[in-house]
């Protein structure tokens, strides 16, 4: 990379670290940023810094939020007593896009995975139990992925919630097995949400 | 995109403006940046700002440079009297990668394209003629792309340099016709450079 000046070399190196961006794509993006109007490039840089500075997790549901409570937890129009449990913020975004759910969320921040050393205390399961008790929750819909970790996490949560007076359901098949929730199309997600079943 | 907080929405919007980055990829990249250590994200932001602030064009050959003259113009080991003419800085990078050329460069900053209103005065042709006269240039290798605009720009430059005591050559076929120089593999480029012919 000696044929590039230092400043462009540094940017190429940073961009090539992003997932799915190889050396050639990083070069192409850097050249594009170079030719962009300065304010557009500065805006991009500022948005990156802002994201790291301003974004935090909602204190109640652990969704990404600009505030103490997220937009959905603050929304009086959303149904109370109904919680959809997902692995990651991106999964919540997928379900919101499908428009099939009008309750609240709970983001686990991961799945149980003994191989990676992730146990029940490493994800927000205790906080979920706490919410079920304090918020008079009527139904929990578990929308973790349908791979091994997602399934076993769902089973584990169902077991934990067994003694409590709450219905636990699982989004229906329709989501292809082994799939990652954030890449599923919205119609499939909507159907899966509608035909949820007891666990 | 209402399901994302403002700060992540802004970043997704900025990223989706880059070439080849769609909405889904932008979301994935934003999520990755969110999970990166803060210093890595800040480094990326700083590199973008630095690029726009520090990078300028070499006063002699119009390559990208951190300084008044670029690294190649400043390099005493490069052969004098031999100039390779390319369209864009990325084309120069491709030729440098192939390692087949040890002279100096001249970056036109575009090609003649009447359709887009780009004439001889909009690219650095006068400056090339100036260099041929002042730097006692022996040979000019024209390495513009092999599409219509690149070919006609090559022919135009050859015509302009006709009266001057300089050999004008064109990189050989080997570069596939209609191709864009920066995507050509390095072996092909090397061969094209070695078997250049009179124009």
């Amino acid at each position: 990379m000696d044929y590039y000046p230092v400043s462009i070399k540094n940017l190429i190196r940073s961009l090539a670290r992003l997932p799915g961006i190889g050396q050639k794509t990083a070069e192409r993006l850097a050249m594009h940023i170079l030719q962009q109007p300065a304010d557009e490039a500065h805006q991009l840089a500022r948005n990156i810094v802002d994201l790291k500075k301003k974004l935090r997790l909602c204190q109640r549901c652990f969704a990404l939020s600009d505030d103490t409570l997220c937009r959905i937890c603050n929304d009086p129009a959303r149904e109370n007593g109904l919680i959809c449990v997902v692995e990651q913020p991106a999964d919540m975004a997928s379900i919101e896009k499908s428009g099939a759910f009008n309750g609240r969320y709970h983001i686990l921040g991961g799945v149980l995975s003994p191989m990676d050393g992730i146990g029940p205390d490493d994800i927000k399961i205790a906080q979920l139990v706490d919410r079920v008790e304090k918020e008079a929750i009527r139904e929990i819909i578990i929308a973790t992925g349908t791979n091994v970790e997602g399934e076993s996490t769902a089973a584990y949560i169902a077991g934990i919630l067994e003694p409590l007076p709450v219905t636990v359901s699982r989004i229906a098949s329709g989501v292809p097995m082994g799939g990652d929730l954030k890449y599923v199309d919205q119609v499939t997600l909507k159907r899966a949400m509608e035909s949820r079943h007891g666990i």
Side-chain angles (χ1 to χ4, degrees), chain A:
Chain A
M1 295 229 298
D2 267 355
Y3 23 86
Y4 284 122
V6 179
S7 47
I8 200 161
K9 223 154 49 178
N10 287 341
L11 179 59
I12 292 173
R13 210 174 288 135
S14 285
L15 288 171
R17 281 218 192 101
L18 297 174
I21 308 278
Q23 180 68 22
K24 280 229 162 180
T25 308
E27 286 185 35
R28 195 160 47 87
L29 291 179
M31 287 296 175
H32 176 88
I33 290 170
L34 190 66
Q35 282 155 15
Q36 262 182 340
D39 59 336
E40 224 168 289
H42 285 150
Q43 186 67 49
L44 173 59
R46 208 164 30 237
N47 286 344
I48 293 172
V49 173
D50 276 4
L51 178 71
K52 300 302 280 191
K53 204 165 54 188
K54 292 189 187 156
L55 212 69
R56 41 183 163 167
L57 297 182
C58 170
Q59 281 193 341
R60 189 182 296 161
C61 76
F62 307 101
L64 301 174
S65 175
D66 292 317
D67 231 317
T68 322
L69 284 186
C70 74
R71 201 185 50 78
I72 290 177
C73 283
N74 265 330
D75 187 350
R78 309 286 298 212
E79 207 176 322
N80 284 317
L82 185 60
I83 289 181
C84 178
V85 178
V86 294
E87 295 174 20
Q88 298 291 356
D91 300 331
M92 176 184 131
S94 289
I95 293 178
E96 281 296 288
K97 275 181 212 170
S98 81
F101 182 71
N102 195 35
R104 316 281 178 172
Y105 286 92
H106 188 85
I107 287 94
L108 293 173
V111 272
L112 297 177
S113 174
M115 287 282 283
D116 303 316
I118 297 172
D121 295 339
D122 300 313
I123 59 178
K124 312 289 187 191
I125 293 181
Q127 290 86 338
L128 176 64
V129 176
D130 206 45
R131 288 182 69 187
V132 169
E133 286 165 347
K134 285 197 187 127
E135 295 177 31
I137 301 302
R138 198 172 69 247
E139 181 175 355
I140 296 279
I141 304 171
I142 305 180
T144 51
T146 53
N147 48 18
V148 178
E149 289 86 2
E151 287 289 343
S152 53
T153 305
Y156 181 87
I157 292 174
I160 289 280
L161 296 177
E162 182 82 76
L164 299 175
V166 62
T167 310
V168 179
S169 58
R170 178 97 172 97
I171 49 164
S173 63
V175 177
M177 290 303 288
D180 195 340
L181 218 78
K182 59 179 168 292
Y183 301 121
V184 173
D185 72 271
Q186 291 153 28
V187 179
T188 311
L189 258 176
K190 191 162 188 155
R191 217 192 115 177
M193 185 63 70
E194 282 158 357
S195 60
R196 63 184 180 269
H197 53 79
I199 199 164

